[in-house]
Amino acid sequence: VDADSVRRATLDLADDELDELLASAARLAAREIRATRDGPVFSAPPALHAVAATVGANELPQEGEPLEDVLAACATLLDAGRRTAPGFFGYVLSPPAPVGVAADLLASAADQNVTAWRSAPAATEVEHQVVRWLGQFVGFASDATGLLVGGGSAANLAALLVAVGNRAPTAHRAELVVYASSEAHFSVAKAAGVLGVQFRSVPATDEYQLDVHELAASIRADRAAGHTPLCVVGTAGSTATGAVDALEAIATLADIEGLWFHVDGAYGAPAASHPAHRSLFAGLDRAASLSIDAHKWLYAPVDCGALLFADPDASARAFATAAGDYVRVLGHDAGETFAFWDHGLELSRRFRALKVWMSFRHYGARRISEAIADDIDIARYMAALVDEDDAFELLAPPGLSVCCFRHVPAGVGADMLDAHNQRLLGAIQRDGRVYFSNATVGADFGLRACITNFRTTRSDARQALDVVRELASWDET
Ligand SMILES: *Cc1c(COP(=O)(O)O)cnc(C)c1O
């Protein structure tokens, strides 16, 4: 062998080792998918010291160990994690559709850095296509432009930057005002803070929707005080109760007032794909920008958020580096000169689009939409079970796939109910068979179930409530 064709150090594997590694990883991935399907949420009740012991407090390893040992350690690690099993009702988390898991592995293998067409031509085209598909899926636009980002928080931040770039590029940031309802996700206020613009939390109605009259009054008051209203964020599926704002009315007011209209559909927008739920989202097609999290209700593995625009030039006005240049780029020879860095915050970007693309191609939009509608049906079923049990109380009517309730046992005074439900939630989370997160609805603390799991059934919902009853009675003694 020619000495110059050999390196002292390479990280490559021999062909047979490579095949063995990938076969082992595939077996482990399949085991993980089955464990997520079958539950429980935690193999053992999670405790800090036990998890830390599993990870181990080793020194930086100077020398390597055999792959089979590393894979065995990996299997133990995965077992110490939380699984989005059918008994997991917390937050807004979906298990990944198996096709998405395979897609993420392939995206890593191909490792396209999706900065621009020149760097990653096929991945760039796939991302354009996925963005268009998402726009069609939810009825936003048939030819949406935009990009994929890490999630809803990143999408909301970029959306506000684009609002500034399009409506008030030269204004003093501190004079600009962004509006969203008190039920909006905290990432909106956070984004406003990062940008140095003002944030107004507009009161919500009894239906947890942004109160459009309050919004109009707030805009008037701000103008009178010399501030510049910039943008209103409508929430299409609030995280706490699943409420969808009155998007049509907000769009009309935004038009009259000349405000950028962004819709935060990170959680809820995919439900607009289903004929039975579409009407809730009327006005979505009038938004200038829209956030959708594919890693929530499109069942993609984290991370994958999308930010869509109605105007193909909107994002470049905020992000294009060479001022004026983007016009030429977006003109006649747009395709090959296209660069995502002119449309968003990141330069290096993972090939996130592949998992959404493979999922739409394999399952088809109709089946994904049916899975979403099933989730909503199960949330309503759970709410009905809660409603017919005197020991439970619904905190809000079910919105989309969210059901918020609390335990109200006879003999526990109204002033003790928050403490009782906090204790109960702690007991449920320590027990590990099922998982709820918390919600404060109005002033009341309760348990929140969100169903964004294509495997969850009515029977899972029933059994989860049985576990709550069991742990609640234990808690009372
Ligand atoms: C989850 C959520 C977000 C934040 O999304 P991430 O992907 O977690 O960053 C924003 N808005 C709404 C309505 C959400 O439900």
Side-chain angles (χ1 to χ4, degrees):
V1 197
D2 170 11
D4 284 349
S5 68
V6 182
R7 292 168 49 99
R8 270 186 306 136
T10 176
L11 306 185
D12 210 0
L13 299 179
D15 274 349
D16 56 338
E17 286 177 309
L18 175 64
D19 290 344
E20 180 58 32
L21 169 65
L22 291 179
S24 303
R27 274 194 300 275
L28 195 50
R31 197 194 74 163
E32 191 58 27
I33 289 172
R34 280 192 286 271
T36 300
R37 183 176 65 203
D38 298 340
V41 173
F42 286 103
S43 296
L48 183 60
H49 63 88
V51 175
T54 302
V55 175
N58 301 328
E59 304 273 295
L60 171 68
Q62 290 298 340
E63 304 302 331
E65 49 187 313
L67 273 173
E68 50 186 321
D69 294 353
V70 178
L71 285 164
C74 206
T76 310
L77 275 185
L78 296 186
D79 256 338
R82 174 199 49 75
R83 294 197 170 101
T84 312
F88 183 89
F89 293 93
Y91 318 117
V92 188
L93 281 183
S94 62
V99 169
V101 176
D104 252 358
L105 173 64
L106 296 177
S108 289
D111 199 30
Q112 302 290 292
N113 191 347
V114 195
T115 57
W117 192 92
R118 289 243 166 78
S119 161
T124 297
E125 287 305 317
V126 170
E127 187 160 335
H128 290 325
Q129 188 171 63
V130 158
V131 163
R132 277 195 303 277
W133 284 354
L134 288 174
Q136 292 162 12
F137 187 62
V138 305
F140 168 69
S142 58
D143 56 351
T145 55
L147 74 173
L148 301 181
V149 295
S153 306
N156 288 339
L157 173 61
L160 293 193
L161 268 161
V162 171
V164 172
N166 279 263
R167 294 297 161 90
T170 58
H172 289 297
R173 292 272 171 93
E175 287 169 6
L176 302 175
V177 189
V178 171
Y179 305 83
S181 96
S182 53
E183 295 292 310
H185 192 266
F186 70 84
S187 58
V188 178
K190 195 172 168 183
V194 168
L195 287 179
V197 301
Q198 299 181 57
F199 176 73
R200 298 274 180 275
S201 177
V202 180
T205 65
D206 293 345
E207 269 79 53
Y208 310 101
Q209 294 174 308
L210 182 146
D211 187 323
V212 183
H213 296 290
E214 293 279 358
L215 173 63
S218 193
I219 293 171
R220 270 196 307 277
D222 279 324
R223 288 207 199 282
H227 305 303
T228 306
L230 169 75
C231 169
V232 53
V233 179
T235 300
S238 70
T239 319
T241 67
V244 179
D245 284 347
L247 303 179
E248 197 83 71
I250 299 173
T252 300
L253 185 61
D255 275 351
I256 293 168
E257 296 286 351
L259 304 196
W260 185 270
F261 179 29
H262 173 65
V263 172
D264 181 3
Y267 155 46
S273 67
H274 197 273
H277 305 290
R278 190 168 295 152
S279 61
L280 262 179
F281 297 84
L284 183 68
D285 56 345
R286 294 174 63 189
S289 53
L290 168 67
S291 306
I292 308 174
D293 265 352
H295 64 218
K296 284 179 174 168
W297 223 357
L298 290 170
Y299 314 111
V302 276
D303 60 10
C304 191
L307 177 59
L308 275 54
F309 299 103
D311 170 2
D313 295 340
S315 46
R317 285 189 196 106
F319 293 113
T321 41
D325 213 30
Y326 71 89
V327 181
R328 183 182 55 76
V329 170
L330 291 172
H332 38 101
D333 100 297
E336 296 188 10
T337 54
F338 182 87
F340 280 108
W341 66 72
D342 280 335
H343 298 270
L345 284 161
E346 294 169 305
L347 177 58
S348 293
R349 300 162 66 253
R350 183 178 166 71
F351 189 3
R352 294 185 179 108
L354 188 63
K355 52 196 168 189
V356 183
W357 189 80
M358 280 181 66
S359 201
F360 270 127
R361 287 200 56 164
H362 174 66
Y363 299 109
R366 190 192 316 279
R367 186 147 137 218
I368 294 173
S369 187
E370 290 297 345
I372 293 166
D374 281 357
D375 287 337
I376 294 175
D377 285 347
I378 293 164
R380 290 178 179 176
Y381 173 74
M382 191 180 220
L385 293 180
V386 163
D387 209 28
E388 72 196 20
D389 184 334
D390 288 342
F392 286 136
E393 178 183 87
L394 274 177
L395 289 179
L400 296 182
S401 65
V402 178
C403 172
C404 294
F405 64 99
R406 62 179 178 170
H407 191 241
V408 286
V412 174
D415 56 333
M416 293 306 291
L417 282 174
D418 277 6
H420 170 72
N421 280 277
Q422 277 161 14
R423 262 200 319 277
L424 174 58
L425 183 64
I428 294 166
Q429 292 185 347
R430 274 191 307 279
D431 176 82
R433 276 174 292 171
V434 301
Y435 194 103
F436 291 84
S437 50
N438 58 289
T440 301
V441 181
D444 299 327
F445 180 94
L447 312 185
R448 173 179 166 286
C450 180
I451 296 142
T452 41
N453 186 338
F454 52 86
R455 296 188 180 102
T456 301
T457 62
R458 287 180 170 221
S459 136
D460 293 314
R462 209 164 49 232
Q463 286 169 29
L465 291 178
D466 287 342
V467 172
V468 175
R469 285 187 193 95
E470 178 195 319
L471 294 172
S473 58
W474 172 84
D475 185 60
E476 281 155 38
T477 57

